[in-house]
Each structure stands twice: as structure tokens, then as C-alpha cells.
Amino acid sequence: MTNYYKHPNAIVETCKIGENTRVWAFAHILPGAVLGSNCNVNDHTFIENDVVIGNNVTIKSGVYIWDGVRIKDNVFIGPNVTFTNDLRPRSKQYPAEFLKTILEEGVSIGANATIIAGNTIGKYAMVGAGSLVTKNIPNNTLWYGNPAKFRGNICNCGEKLNDKYQCSCGKKYVLEDGVIVEV
């Protein structure tokens, strides 16, 4: 008996899925994948073997998550987000190990964004829809465009910070060694 929901038209080959996770129609999860609790994996998703997904993660429809991707807790991945895992792909030629792409806690990725392999997106960072991420993104920052460019600092709640690193929700931040830190 499973402690998660699996739609009858989903293919779930892993036994490493946390409690209250939901896997919807036409999703396919390979045997080596690890998914945390309370995740929502929408229709038409594919999750490869060497993938680790934390708790409370939302993966919208049409997302393929390839070997080497690590997704921490409370991450939102919009529809049709594209991940890569090999900077020089060739048919039937595989690297000894795929590059690691890391989405830290609280990250939000907008629809149709592309995340190039080997990059880390910092805690509570936000990537706008349709963006191309070609480099690491610091914590609590907003990036969008092609290529994605820094557009401002954001609160853990997702709102933009003012020029004094304060949010309308009441949270305050400081800049320490080039990193935004909540006070």
C-alpha cells in the first residue's frame, strides 16, 4: 500500500515517494528518483533516475527533470520548464556523471524557462517566465530575460524589496558579503 496518490495513468517505478505526494496522469517517474512528502507532480511530467526532490514541491505539466537535478523544499516549477544536464550532448555518448543543477529552498521558476546544466538557483530566488538561466542565481533575487538578468531583490514572500531591503510584508533584509540575509 502506498502513502501517496498515483493516478491510474501514471507510471511510477520508484518506491521512494513521500507521504501525501500526488502524481497525476501520464507522469513517468523512473526507479532511482526520490520525491519528498506533499509534492504535486502534474500531468505529462518525466523524472529521471538521478533526481532528488524535496518536500512541498509543485511541478506543473510538461516538465522533464533529467539526471543530476536536485530540488530542495518548497520549490515551484511552472509548466514546460526545461532543464538540461549535458553541455555537449551527442547521441549515444554519455558523460561519466551529469552536471548537477540545484534549486535551493523556496525557488520559483516561471513557465517555459530554460535552466542550463550546472547552475544553482539560490534560496527564494525567482526566475521569470520564458527566461534562459545561464549562470548561478543568488538568494532572494529576481531574474528574467534571454539570457536572464538580475532585475531586483525579493522577499521570501515573493514581493520586491525596496532600496532599503525592506518588504511590504514587514520583513527586513541586509546585504552581507554580497548576499541578501533576512534580519
Side-chain angles (χ1 to χ4, degrees):
M1 186 163 132
T2 60
N3 57 354
Y4 65 92
Y5 172 77
K6 173 187 159 299
H7 188 279
N9 291 326
I11 301 170
V12 178
E13 298 181 71
T14 185
C15 59
K16 299 174 204 129
I17 295 183
E19 190 172 355
N20 296 322
T21 286
R22 292 162 308 284
V23 180
W24 296 99
F26 312 112
H28 187 171
I29 304 172
L30 294 185
V34 177
L35 281 78
S37 299
N38 200 40
C39 294
N40 194 26
V41 179
N42 282 227
D43 294 3
H44 301 281
T45 4
F46 179 75
I47 300 173
E48 231 173 0
N49 282 298
D50 182 25
V51 172
V52 178
I53 297 171
N55 300 315
N56 304 312
V57 173
T58 298
I59 303 167
K60 296 307 249 179
S61 298
V63 176
Y64 302 155
I65 304 175
W66 307 113
D67 286 339
V69 176
R70 304 291 184 262
I71 300 169
K72 305 287 176 83
D73 296 344
N74 304 306
V75 169
F76 174 85
I77 301 171
N80 300 304
V81 166
T82 299
F83 292 93
T84 69
N85 67 354
D86 189 346
L87 298 179
R88 294 171 195 83
R90 294 282 190 241
S91 182
K92 306 296 180 189
Q93 296 177 21
Y94 307 104
E97 184 178 356
F98 287 101
L99 294 171
K100 298 291 184 255
T101 299
I102 300 168
L103 277 58
E104 297 287 358
E105 180 179 356
V107 165
S108 290
I109 309 292
N112 293 308
T114 298
I115 313 302
I116 300 299
N119 289 302
T120 296
I121 300 176
K123 291 181 179 182
Y124 299 100
M126 188 174 290
V127 174
S131 297
L132 173 63
V133 174
T134 60
K135 59 186 172 183
N136 293 335
I137 292 180
N139 297 348
N140 294 91
T141 56
L142 170 65
W143 293 64
Y144 55 87
N146 184 359
K149 293 181 182 169
F150 173 76
R151 308 295 180 154
N153 294 297
I154 60 171
C155 181
N156 291 0
C157 76
E159 294 295 320
K160 279 184 102 171
L161 300 178
N162 65 22
D163 57 355
K164 295 179 181 173
Y165 301 111
Q166 297 173 343
C167 182
S168 59
C169 77
K171 290 185 180 176
K172 297 178 182 180
Y173 297 79
V174 295
L175 192 60
E176 289 181 3
D177 299 322
V179 177
I180 300 288
V181 179
E182 187 178 355
V183 179

